[in-house]
Amino acid sequence: MTSSAPSPAPDTEATAVPEGAPAPEAALVAEGVAVDGTHGVLLASTSLRTVPGSVLLVAGTPGSGHTALALALAGRMRPDHGTVTLDGDDDPRRLRRAVAVVDTPGVSEPEPVLPLRTVVGEELAMAGRGTTPRAVTEWLGARGAQTWVRSRFEDVPAPVRIGLMTALAASRPGVRVLVLTAPDRHGGTPVTWWQVASEHARAGFAVVVTCTEGSAALLGVPAVRLGGGDAGALPEPPGRHSRPEDPTGPLTVVAPQGADDLPQGWTRRLLRRRPAGTADAPPPDTGEPPRDAGTAILPGPDLTPGTTDGDESTERTS
């Protein structure tokens, strides 16, 4: 068991380009994308550029266009202004095949009352994978999430939810870009979903995460401003070198028993909070799934953008 607090500056290797190095080819580019609504602007002009193997944060207040941006990037909503291109191509059909929206409110967010096994089965079907109860249980078990197989989706801890939904979206054939929509709405520490996004970036995906400006500041990662117009990142947020104290104490990262039995490349991390000054101790065994703890579900080395480790027969475009 190891215990550590989040580092003052999360690993930004996936987003940084060495000074003087040639800029990598953009995978997904939005230029002045804006969406008008019946009663007002749904999304103010926003520009961004992503590259394979990177995580790009897009920060804005709730209600400032998180869902509209995700849909525009994925070719599921035609912007009223600006363009979205993938390698220079603005064909919405190509965008829908290559860009997956993850846990987007009102779009790809599962019904909260459904059992986790049902949600996973539906997603595996979209990826052309086996959907028998045994196949679903084995898929969850390989990712350390079998504890919640019968739980209602709303009862699945946020780290598990985010990790599973991201892994399922990444398994769809042809997907190259993942758009995580406001994962901080589920609460908890931003470090959880940052770890998931970073692991998928290291697997070769381009990852866009929309979040609040507060989450970006806590991570200490520059972010594109939602509705900010140009594609430049926000200045380095205050708090990168003077992070506010967490009143709940440092983050504890616990490797649960049996983690070594997972397939190579998969990592399980149990994230929980403990009051400052208390010693590490395993949580009491109540027989119920933990509500304040979760597992970060991360991709394996065999997962590469545009491929899946199962049968490739069905692709999701909605």
Side-chain angles (χ1 to χ4, degrees):
M1 178 180 293
T2 59
S3 176
S4 63
S7 58
D11 179 12
T12 57
E13 181 181 357
T15 59
V17 177
E19 185 175 355
E25 181 183 0
L28 185 70
V29 178
E31 296 183 347
V33 171
V35 179
D36 300 329
T38 304
H39 303 290
V41 176
L42 294 179
L43 172 65
S45 178
T46 301
S47 298
L48 58 85
R49 296 178 181 86
T50 70
V51 294
S54 72
V55 181
L56 176 68
L57 292 187
V58 183
T61 58
S64 59
H66 292 258
T67 297
L69 177 64
L71 293 177
L73 293 178
R76 291 165 171 79
M77 175 180 286
R78 185 180 297 276
D80 294 289
H81 312 279
T83 60
V84 178
T85 59
L86 180 65
D87 298 331
D89 187 352
D90 63 355
D91 185 353
R93 292 172 298 180
R94 187 177 182 213
L95 289 172
R96 288 194 291 269
R97 286 193 298 267
V99 183
V101 291
V102 181
D103 199 21
T104 302
V107 181
S108 59
E109 179 182 41
E111 290 292 331
V113 298
L114 290 176
L116 177 61
R117 59 183 176 181
T118 300
V119 173
V120 171
E122 291 176 350
E123 290 286 339
L124 290 176
M126 294 296 178
R129 304 283 301 278
T131 60
T132 64
R134 179 176 179 180
V136 170
T137 300
E138 289 179 350
W139 191 92
L140 287 168
R143 288 148 183 86
Q146 67 275 12
T147 301
W148 297 278
V149 65
R150 298 179 183 276
S151 300
R152 288 158 57 118
F153 192 71
E154 62 186 352
D155 295 329
V156 177
V160 179
R161 172 193 182 119
I162 295 167
L164 291 176
M165 295 305 294
T166 306
L168 286 164
S171 70
R172 300 174 200 158
V175 168
R176 297 169 49 196
V177 183
L178 300 169
V179 182
L180 281 67
T181 310
D184 46 358
R185 75 186 188 275
H186 300 305
T189 169
V191 173
T192 300
W193 49 261
W194 175 262
Q195 290 174 337
V196 174
S198 297
E199 279 295 317
H200 280 83
R202 284 192 284 271
F205 291 90
V207 184
V208 179
V209 185
T210 74
C211 64
T212 64
E213 293 179 357
S215 292
L218 286 172
L219 288 170
V221 177
V224 170
R225 188 185 300 277
L226 189 62
D230 61 41
L234 290 170
E236 185 173 292
R240 183 181 178 98
H241 301 295
S242 57
R243 187 178 310 281
E245 271 190 37
D246 183 349
T248 63
L251 178 72
T252 302
V253 182
V254 180
Q257 185 176 3
D260 292 337
D261 296 332
L262 289 176
Q264 185 179 4
W266 287 85
T267 305
R268 298 192 297 174
R269 296 184 179 92
L270 187 63
L271 303 177
R272 61 182 175 85
R273 295 285 182 176
R274 61 178 175 85
T278 60
D280 290 337
D285 184 7
T286 61
E288 296 291 332
R291 299 301 180 92
D292 296 327
T295 304
I297 310 298
L298 309 176
D302 57 337
L303 181 61
T304 56
T307 65
T308 178
D309 55 358
D311 296 333
E312 299 183 6
S313 58
T314 309
E315 74 184 33
R316 183 175 187 175
T317 58
S318 61

